[in-house]
Amino acid sequence: MSVAKPLPHDAARLHVTGQARYVDDIPLPQGTLHLAFGVSRIARGQIKAMTLEEVKTAPGVVAVLTADDLPFANDVSPSVHDEPLLSDGPVHYMGQPLFVVAATSHRAARMAARLGNITYIEETPILTIEDALAADARFEDGPRVYEKGRVDAALTQAPHRLQGRIEMGGQEHFYLEGQAALALPQEGGDMVVQSSTQHPTEIQHKVAEALGVPMHAVRVEIRRMGGGFGGKESQGNALAVACAVVAAQSGRPCKMRYDRDDDMIITGKRHDFRIDYDVGYDAQGRILGIDFTHYTRCGWAQDLSLPVADRAMLHADNAYLLPAARITSHRLRTNMQSATAFRGFGGPQGMLGIERVMDHVAHALGRDGAEVRRINYYAAMTESADASGGGIFDPKKQPTLSTEDLASRGAVRASSGSGGSARFGGAYSAVPEDAENTTPYSMPVTDFILHEMTDQLLDTADYDRRKADLARWNAQNETLKKGIAFSPVKFGISFTLTHLNQAGALVHVYQDGSIHLNHGGTEMGQGLFQKVAQVAAARFGVNVAAVKITATDTGKVPNTSATAASSGSDLNGMAVQAACSTIRDRIAACLAELHGCSVEEVVFDGGDVRVGGVQMSFAKAVQTAYENRVSLSATGFYKTPDVAWDRIAGKGRPFFYFAYGAAVSEVVIDTRTGENRLLRVDLLHDAGASLNPALDIGQIEGGFVQGAGWLTTEELVWDDTGRLRTHAPSTYKIPACSDRPAVFNVALWNAANPARTVYRSKAVGEPPFMLGISAHLALADACSACGPHFPDLQAPATAEEVLRAVGRARG
Amino acid sequence: MAQVSMTVNGKTVSGEVEGRTLLAEFLREGLNLTGTHIGCDTSQCGACVVHVNGEAVKSCTMFAMEADGADVGTIEGQANADGSLNVIQQAFQDHHGLQCGFCTPGMVMSAAALLKENPKPSEAEVRTYLEGNICRCTGYHNIVKAIMAASGQDVSAIAAE
Ligand code: FES
Ligand code: FES
């Protein structure tokens, strides 16, 4: 069977020969125009006057458009229509698009875009958390609060109590392929758009709005992205819409790609967070009560910030049973790029908060960090753990969302705060508050496997012995200090906006037995297409080479959700399986009738079909079905069962299941300079029954390195005028080849998912990112070795920050 | 505008370029050799690495006119004469040395230059050599492994598939 095989990426051959095509590689029709944005040079204010004569007369320029020239919607927001494509007066951040230039070449457009003469009425930008709180600049009317148990009582009654704070920076996606789009005008005002996007339906929707046409007049196609990581969930809207509008007006194809600097200056990044904590615990380190306050700078527009901040709250527990917990979340509006989706979608930030608490408690008690973590774990999986058997939630009719973008994760309503009116996906049945083994949002944890995973990893990583060795080594070394840390991951899988948990597929089988596969997921390197093709091949019992993987296309599968929330193979794999099963069953019924046997006796295996005593090739079987006038084309559909979530009350079952992982990292620091290196990393990750172990391990390795990068070298710096100072790889340091640890052991925890997923696999896109937290904790451990005090290491732990933490440890 | 001519992947080509036309632009737009990618435009990511007279060069850093008369090799010319993958390409495929693939052409070209200079590099040498090639997806592990394998060295000790 083709599933569970470590097949290479489907396009590997195309990539290594340079034939794989990205949007920027598509041959352009004659007369294509190239676009560039003219952007604001201040962070906040009003445009007083915009003189664009020089732009218009610059060489190669064909057209210059401002907000006034946009015929229909001037909006590229994935949520609440608060994001004009081009400013209509107010300026909200430095880098905001004000006008768009169309020229005969990419360079001509970019050069002309710099010639705008714009005067502003400047206002003081809101940049810091303090500024935003003082101005009450926020999204939603006040903080969201999720609560479980009696938190204040638990805190006052606890034998021990401490408070602290961790600040963590944002992160630039640095997808290696920058944002790009190409719009090709068609007859009758229709538009075809090629877009480097994780969310073709979103692009289709925004382009249709901007052109004043129904969605059926717009077709969006994407074969692959050169990396996405969440940065292409909503941030491609502006390019696609600009191209489509100019294409419609000029009748010429239009293309836009951001140069790296423009990309970093214009597009949103990971949300940075400050997390304050107040925790009560006992002498063993068991947490009795905890009060978290999250502050996040969302930038100027809402984008996907509400669900991101929600997901941070939903991961404030990580792997730990918190008997009493309150999480308060402030979503602050600041004059910066609008922070957006990034692998983990707030989960990593919430998780780093509790991991820091575990370290702080362990330090205060003088106990081992791994030990304190284990004491606080959720109880282990129970035997009736079939997660789809729950059924405690009644389906409820969806409220109408007339002003929102239904297919976007941004489609969360800015709440009334009452909790009653804005439920999505269904009402929840309240779980008793003292129920055992429930999260702070009242979801029972029934599939917890970290006890066994932790045993195995600490054993294979030789944690105890190495920890003892390190203590001896540190006692003998003054300048260099080593640190080691363990951290677990429990990550919730599903879109928290329940209705997005659906997917469609379209499968054709041709007369020669070849198979055409299409579904709503997009390929950004994660190997989704190959995994899904393996599922299709398995259904027909053929080799995966018989399956043609085709570009994602809104004309083939409509109303798709973004390829996000790690849901790609869970959702699309199931939809494809359904479509293939339909066709297979039709063929089986036809053959059964011809051969006078039952449908069950028709077997598809090894490229052949066996029916009764006869064996024929799959192609022959297909041909027979065709001749008997059997339809060989089918759609498939899937929706995740049993999820329902009230984001206002903070109660329900937002996740179908959890994915787990565990990491041990070892580092060394130079106490004079703060320089540091990762020495060894051991990872054990749960991908369920893996659909493709090689691709999954690739996700784990890449995710870890990206997560460690976020918390170590990747530092975003805005100056006090709101200018992003780190807008190129020269100043923004993502991990390089030489940064990877010398010893890097990665293993899969290969056990079937108790939830009924495709072949019992688990989602693997985001969860491993959070294994990188162990690198930060290991650095903190090394700093701790320098003195008796808590080093209070912040993130990212750049060399400068490590140096400061060493100082704090020494006191 | 000026005329340039050079040998690209064994074929003589020529075209009109401006003085400021970059070699990367000439290859991609003039010759439709789009396997050479632009990742940063500023000589930092390595996605645009090609060979010029046998040396690895970031083609976003070189003017097309500087390559006048040169022998240029791009990713499109790396496969064997019969169309089969060369040993480095094959190793990247077999050892999963790619995900989104955007860095891959530059990685393969850099790897070829390295192995020409140093046919049996150590793992540390591979890593240092690839300092100028950024990959955002893979975490580099499988890329290093692929290059080690392509150099004929045993990679079974390099853990993790
Ligand atoms: S595009 Fe040439 S080094 Fe990045
Ligand atoms: S595979 Fe995506 S950048 Fe290397």
Side-chain angles (χ1 to χ4, degrees):
Chain A
M1 198 149 81
S2 56
V3 288
K5 283 212 188 107
L7 300 177
H9 193 282
D10 62 277
R13 196 188 159 83
L14 300 178
H15 287 305
V16 299
T17 54
Q19 298 175 70
R21 231 182 230 179
Y22 303 84
V23 170
D24 196 29
D25 303 336
I26 297 169
L28 298 177
Q30 195 100 58
T32 300
L33 297 176
H34 298 260
L35 270 50
F37 286 126
V39 301
S40 75
R41 308 252 175 252
I42 64 161
R44 186 180 179 205
Q46 296 285 331
I47 298 172
K48 194 153 64 175
M50 197 147 55
T51 314
L52 302 176
E53 290 321 309
E54 259 192 88
V55 184
K56 289 177 184 156
T57 54
V61 172
V62 174
V64 181
L65 278 72
T66 64
D68 292 340
D69 303 313
L70 302 175
F72 294 96
N74 176 15
D75 182 70
V76 292
S77 161
S79 50
V80 288
H81 288 216
D82 64 344
E83 207 173 317
L85 169 69
L86 300 173
S87 167
D88 45 11
V91 172
H92 298 285
Y93 77 103
M94 201 179 294
Q96 182 179 345
L98 307 181
F99 62 92
V100 60
V101 185
T104 49
S105 75
H106 177 66
R107 182 187 282 121
R110 284 195 86 217
M111 287 176 61
R114 316 221 147 190
L115 301 175
N117 184 358
I118 294 144
T119 52
Y120 307 91
I121 303 164
E122 285 200 51
E123 292 163 37
T124 311
I126 294 173
L127 297 172
T128 64
I129 289 170
E130 288 73 18
D131 292 347
L133 287 172
D136 199 32
R138 59 171 77 239
F139 297 97
E140 300 193 288
D141 48 359
R144 287 260 74 73
V145 183
Y146 296 167
E147 197 160 353
K148 170 191 173 188
R150 296 175 53 233
V151 179
D152 297 320
L155 285 172
T156 36
Q157 285 158 20
H160 301 277
R161 184 169 176 179
L162 60 78
Q163 291 85 24
R165 161 178 296 181
I166 180 160
E167 309 244 12
M168 58 197 89
Q171 186 176 26
E172 165 62 37
H173 301 84
F174 214 97
Y175 25 67
L176 212 59
E177 176 216 23
Q179 306 275 351
L182 167 64
L184 304 157
Q186 309 292 306
E187 62 179 25
D190 291 359
M191 194 64 66
V192 170
V193 180
Q194 296 277 349
S195 166
S196 181
T197 179
Q198 293 172 241
H199 199 348
T201 291
E202 175 77 16
I203 298 281
Q204 181 192 19
H205 176 142
K206 299 314 290 189
V207 166
E209 274 183 0
L211 298 181
V213 298
M215 285 172 79
H216 70 38
V218 179
R219 190 166 73 75
V220 178
E221 190 183 77
I222 170 66
R223 174 59 183 85
R224 65 172 59 80
M225 284 160 272
F229 315 116
K232 292 174 180 169
E233 183 166 344
S234 64
Q235 303 299 298
N237 294 359
L239 301 88
V241 168
C243 287
V245 168
V246 182
Q249 289 194 0
S250 65
R252 293 165 72 169
C254 288
K255 174 173 164 178
M256 187 173 205
R257 88 164 169 91
Y258 289 160
D259 276 49
R260 182 60 59 180
D261 278 53
D262 292 347
D263 202 314
M264 292 182 78
I265 288 166
I266 296 172
T267 65
K269 302 156 199 333
R270 181 184 294 284
H271 289 71
D272 55 29
F273 269 67
R274 169 192 293 171
I275 297 182
D276 288 344
Y277 52 89
D278 183 352
V279 57
Y281 54 98
D282 69 13
Q284 264 70 53
R286 192 187 309 273
I287 291 180
L288 304 172
I290 193 159
D291 190 358
F292 278 118
T293 309
H294 291 182
Y295 302 89
T296 180
R297 295 191 294 177
C298 302
W300 70 283
Q302 186 167 302
D303 189 74
L304 307 172
S305 292
L306 304 190
V308 167
D310 289 354
R311 191 171 271 269
M313 299 171 81
L314 294 174
H315 289 80
D317 58 334
N318 192 14
Y320 314 111
L321 175 60
L322 305 173
R326 175 163 53 229
I327 305 130
T328 306
S329 168
H330 298 267
R331 297 88 193 265
L332 303 171
R333 186 195 296 267
T334 52
N335 294 110
M336 302 148 79
Q337 291 78 0
S338 183
T340 190
F342 195 143
R343 203 175 197 172
F345 206 67
Q349 292 94 318
M351 212 177 271
L352 183 61
I354 187 82
E355 288 305 325
R356 145 54 73 95
V357 169
M358 290 293 156
D359 262 18
H360 206 163
V361 167
H363 190 272
L365 294 171
R367 296 179 75 103
D368 173 59
E371 199 182 302
V372 169
R373 285 177 169 80
R374 301 192 60 150
I375 286 177
N376 283 291
Y377 272 174
Y378 283 104
M381 178 161 85
T382 48
E383 74 307 359
S384 62
D386 193 327
S388 50
I392 51 169
F393 303 110
D394 300 319
K396 189 186 167 196
K397 222 169 157 276
Q398 298 272 345
T400 319
L401 299 175
S402 54
T403 61
E404 291 174 348
D405 184 353
L406 285 170
S408 161
R409 286 201 271 184
V412 284
R413 193 163 272 184
S415 82
S416 63
S418 68
S421 61
R423 253 172 221 170
F424 291 90
Y428 63 92
S429 312
V431 178
E433 288 222 321
D434 57 351
E436 306 239 318
N437 227 41
T438 58
T439 64
Y441 45 93
S442 301
M443 175 171 162
V445 178
T446 57
D447 59 2
F448 196 79
I449 50 175
L450 273 168
H451 294 277
E452 306 93 298
M453 288 180 70
T454 305
D455 284 343
Q456 181 172 323
L457 180 70
L458 293 183
D459 185 45
T460 56
D462 208 3
Y463 176 83
D464 290 334
R465 187 189 58 76
R466 284 165 61 207
K467 177 134 186 153
D469 287 354
L470 246 59
R472 271 192 298 280
W473 193 91
N474 282 337
Q476 289 155 9
N477 288 275
E478 261 319 295
T479 311
L480 301 182
K481 294 284 183 191
K482 290 184 180 177
I484 188 169
F486 161 81
S487 70
V489 170
K490 164 181 139 289
F491 191 78
I493 302 299
S494 288
F495 286 103
T496 55
L497 180 52
T498 302
H499 79 246
L500 297 182
N501 295 293
Q502 57 170 308
L506 176 66
V507 176
H508 308 314
V509 178
Y510 296 102
Q511 299 161 46
D512 63 354
S514 67
I515 298 159
H516 175 107
L517 170 64
N518 196 271
H519 54 81
T522 57
E523 176 67 38
M524 58 196 109
Q526 80 278 44
L528 170 67
F529 282 12
Q530 180 71 315
K531 281 187 174 182
V532 173
Q534 288 176 257
V535 170
R539 280 285 119 167
F540 291 118
V542 298
N543 191 292
V544 74
V547 180
K548 170 63 92 186
I549 296 168
T550 59
T552 317
D553 184 337
T554 57
K556 288 185 183 170
V557 175
N559 307 321
T560 56
S561 297
T563 306
S566 304
S567 66
S569 41
D570 278 10
L571 296 178
N572 296 293
M574 282 298 226
V576 162
Q577 185 169 318
C580 295
S581 296
T582 301
I583 299 173
R584 189 192 59 177
D585 292 351
R586 286 183 197 149
I587 298 171
C590 167
L591 295 177
E593 196 182 321
L594 291 176
H595 290 264
C597 64
S598 74
V599 174
E600 291 70 42
E601 288 170 82
V602 185
V603 178
F604 294 73
D605 186 32
D608 288 328
V609 179
R610 290 190 297 278
V611 47
V614 186
Q615 173 152 351
M616 64 186 94
S617 67
F618 178 69
K620 177 73 194 153
V622 167
Q623 201 187 329
T624 308
Y626 167 70
E627 286 163 1
N628 284 278
R629 296 188 289 174
V630 171
S631 164
L632 295 170
S633 173
T635 59
F637 185 78
Y638 175 72
K639 59 182 178 182
T640 313
D642 302 328
V643 285
W645 167 240
D646 181 337
R647 66 171 290 271
I648 304 304
K651 305 266 185 230
R653 181 188 178 113
F655 305 123
F656 188 32
Y657 62 89
F658 294 102
Y660 297 92
V664 172
S665 290
E666 181 182 337
V667 300
V668 62
I669 63 170
D670 183 328
T671 58
R672 294 164 312 180
T673 61
E675 281 174 283
N676 54 77
R677 296 202 69 79
L678 262 175
L679 296 175
R680 173 172 170 181
V681 173
D682 295 79
L683 308 178
L684 179 58
H685 195 82
D686 159 37
S690 173
L691 286 176
N692 182 321
L695 295 177
D696 285 351
I697 285 177
Q699 287 298 300
I700 296 164
E701 291 171 358
F704 172 86
V705 170
Q706 204 175 59
W710 168 49
L711 294 174
T712 55
T713 60
E714 298 188 33
E715 186 178 32
L716 290 165
V717 179
W718 284 267
D719 67 18
D720 49 20
T721 67
R723 182 190 306 271
L724 177 67
R725 287 296 187 177
T726 48
H727 54 77
S730 51
T731 42
Y732 183 80
K733 171 83 172 70
I734 75 165
C737 194
S738 50
D739 293 329
R740 57 171 282 276
V743 182
F744 197 6
N745 298 317
V746 181
L748 286 176
W749 178 262
N750 218 347
N753 188 349
R756 275 185 241 129
T757 51
V758 62
Y759 291 97
R760 301 283 177 164
S761 61
K762 282 194 182 183
V764 76
E766 296 171 288
F769 179 90
M770 285 148 275
L771 297 171
I773 291 173
S774 63
H776 188 264
L777 302 175
L779 287 168
D781 186 53
C783 296
S784 285
C786 299
H789 305 284
F790 186 60
D792 200 19
L793 184 70
Q794 306 294 306
T798 57
E800 293 86 342
E801 174 55 22
V802 168
L803 201 55
R804 286 191 288 269
V806 167
R808 287 190 287 265
R810 287 178 174 153
Chain B
M1 291 294 232
Q3 190 74 17
V4 286
S5 78
M6 59 188 86
T7 309
V8 177
N9 300 330
K11 284 199 213 91
T12 309
V13 297
S14 57
E16 289 260 290
V17 296
E18 290 182 73
R20 63 187 168 192
T21 302
L22 300 168
L23 178 57
E25 282 177 275
F26 178 67
L27 293 170
R28 289 179 53 81
E29 288 159 33
L31 305 178
N32 277 323
L33 294 173
T34 52
T36 298
H37 295 154
I38 306 288
C40 69
D41 311 89
T42 50
S43 164
Q44 297 169 76
C45 74
C48 64
V49 170
V50 299
H51 298 160
V52 177
N53 296 328
E55 302 256 337
V57 168
K58 288 178 174 171
S59 61
C60 73
T61 310
M62 188 177 200
F63 293 117
M65 282 171 67
E66 291 179 273
D68 194 27
D71 185 11
V72 176
T74 74
I75 188 70
E76 288 90 346
Q78 293 298 296
N80 299 323
D82 64 354
S84 63
L85 299 181
N86 78 15
V87 57
I88 299 173
Q89 292 172 314
Q90 190 65 48
F92 269 74
Q93 168 160 6
D94 294 348
H95 295 278
H96 312 281
L98 58 92
Q99 287 178 24
C100 82
F102 204 80
C103 69
T104 310
M107 289 286 180
V108 169
M109 298 306 282
S110 288
L114 164 66
L115 296 187
K116 200 172 123 198
E117 245 170 60
N118 182 356
K120 292 259 180 287
S122 68
E123 222 190 303
E125 285 170 332
V126 173
R127 281 194 239 143
T128 317
Y129 192 87
L130 291 183
E131 191 81 324
N133 288 76
I134 291 176
C135 175
R136 188 51 151 167
C137 299
T138 63
Y140 303 102
H141 191 89
N142 289 341
I143 291 176
V144 175
K145 196 168 159 187
I147 297 172
M148 297 294 284
S151 71
Q153 303 185 69
D154 179 21
V155 289
S156 54
I158 305 176
E161 257 306 300

